[in-house]
Amino acid sequence: GESLIRLVHALALYQSGDSTKAREAIAIARARVLEQAAELGPTLGKSFVENVPDNARILELASAWLGSSS
C-alpha cells in the first residue's frame, strides 16, 4: 500500500504541473522502495523491486524524471 500511495502522489503532482514537487516525491518513493528491498536481502529484494508493479513503476519514473537508474 505504501508504494501505491507514494506513486499516486508523485503522479498527481506531476499531472497538476508541479514537476519540482513530483520529482521530490518520486525521489522519496524510490529511496523507500530501495530501503525496503535492502531489508529483504538480495534475492527477495530484487523480486520486490522488479515484480511488484508499483515498485517497478516508481523506479521507472525516478529514472525518467531524475535522470538516474538507481
Side-chain angles (χ1 to χ4, degrees):
E2 176 183 349
S3 293
L4 177 60
I5 291 167
R6 291 183 184 279
L7 175 59
V8 170
H9 180 237
L11 287 169
L13 289 167
Y14 184 83
Q15 290 298 317
S16 72
D18 196 340
S19 61
T20 300
K21 286 189 180 180
R23 286 191 303 272
E24 290 172 4
I26 208 68
I28 292 167
R30 177 183 62 188
R32 184 65 181 132
V33 166
L34 295 176
E35 177 184 306
Q36 290 172 318
E39 291 173 4
L40 295 171
T43 303
L44 288 177
K46 183 177 186 213
S47 179
F48 179 76
V49 168
E50 295 175 356
N51 298 323
V52 176
D54 296 334
N55 296 342
R57 183 69 174 139
I58 286 169
L59 296 185
E60 178 185 340
L61 288 175
S63 179
W65 294 356
L66 304 173
S68 69
S69 60
S70 297

